[in-house]
Amino acid sequence: MSSLRAALVLLLIILHTLVHALPLLLLALVKALLPFPGLRRALGGVLAAIAESWIAANTWMVDHLTGTRFHVAGDDGLLADGHYLVLANHQSWVDIVVLQKVFNRRIPLLRFFLKQQLFWVPVLGLAWWALDFPFMGRYSRAEIAKNPELGQRDIEATRRACAKFREIPVAVMNFVEGTRFTPEKHARQASPYRHLLKPKAGGVAFVVDAMGDALHAVLDVTIAYPGGRPTMMDLMGGRIPDVHVLVRQRPIPDSEAMGGRYQDDRAARARFQQWLNGMWRDKDEALTRLLGD
């Protein structure tokens, strides 16, 4: 039965994705040709509304076809026209569905920093571009060490994206661990956290430096799956009994509090990493409570 349920949900996702994709792609082409920034921004709002409609259809299916129970705390006082930096732990692609379900139409459309290669994904790549998802190289340390200019490219891409985000309501999403949690990665890192990988401060700090005074809050999101780390097929097949989500609104750390800009000051970088590590310790304790272990 779970396989039949998964096949049905997958078919419905494909059908409603096609229904939403056609107008979105047509408007994306119009946006690409418009020479007027004001009209491009207005069209961006229409494109975001289409994306939110697509997310709402996904959420309806999760609520009515999977049987998964969602337990959400701390999600009061959110602003649909706010400016947020959303930070979450990352265990599965299901995390994205969970975040979209919790926040859709309650805060602005979640926008992720994506690898440049994803621009070429059929249909989705153009849709992400039209929705102002920033594309970055995400080069490895070895690549940057060999060619430092590559790291500067990502910094400049972040600055350009943040300059654009200042003009629109936005929720900038970052999975701070940089990859999905697995026991193997956890052991390889010698992570000091029981349920988490080490957080990476660089990308978060760049957004805070570029947008700090324009952001309302950090939304610190903790996602827990008491039944174990799930797959998308587990979700579509109704094999995830419960999901716990804890949302905590935190103040934006400013450059003055950190003692300087992250890029320019080693002591400021250390203080920013300390701030992020403290958030991660709180998150690890929360996961221990939510998972009952």
Side-chain angles (χ1 to χ4, degrees), residues 86-230:
V86 184
L87 308 180
N89 58 310
H90 192 20
Q91 303 166 80
S92 162
W93 292 116
V94 176
D95 298 341
I96 296 174
V97 178
V98 171
L99 289 165
Q100 290 177 334
K101 171 181 166 54
V102 171
F103 292 121
N104 191 42
R105 293 173 175 162
R106 303 188 63 202
I107 64 174
L109 180 71
L110 290 169
R111 288 174 168 89
F112 300 78
F113 284 85
L114 301 173
K115 293 181 180 180
Q116 286 178 347
Q117 298 90 323
L118 293 177
F119 177 79
W120 303 106
V121 173
V123 180
L124 290 177
L126 183 58
W128 287 324
W129 171 85
L131 291 165
D132 294 315
F133 281 52
F135 290 91
M136 303 177 66
R138 290 191 175 178
Y139 304 103
S140 68
R141 288 185 179 180
E143 289 173 319
I144 293 173
K146 189 175 181 179
N147 183 1
E149 182 183 340
L150 296 177
Q152 191 62 33
R153 288 181 190 174
D154 276 353
I155 293 173
E156 291 304 318
T158 302
R159 285 176 177 157
R160 288 194 301 271
C162 290
K164 183 181 295 184
F165 289 160
R166 279 178 168 271
E167 301 174 356
I168 59 174
V170 72
V172 183
M173 175 65 218
N174 194 319
F175 288 121
V176 189
E177 294 155 301
T179 184
R180 284 167 288 167
F181 178 98
T182 68
E184 295 76 21
K185 294 173 185 175
H186 183 267
R188 190 161 57 244
Q189 282 190 355
S191 172
Y193 311 103
R194 184 174 180 184
H195 303 288
L196 300 163
L197 301 179
K198 295 177 182 178
K200 298 180 179 180
V204 178
F206 291 146
V207 173
V208 170
D209 275 351
M211 291 190 66
D213 61 339
L215 292 168
H216 289 122
V218 171
L219 296 185
D220 170 16
V221 185
T222 302
I223 304 172
Y225 303 101
R229 288 181 296 116

Side-chain angles (χ1 to χ4, degrees), residues 74-82 84 102-103 106-108 219 247 249:
D75 59 331
D76 51 323
L78 299 175
L79 301 173
D81 60 348
Y84 294 108
V102 171
F103 292 121
R106 303 188 63 202
I107 64 174
L219 296 185
V247 182
Q249 294 198 43

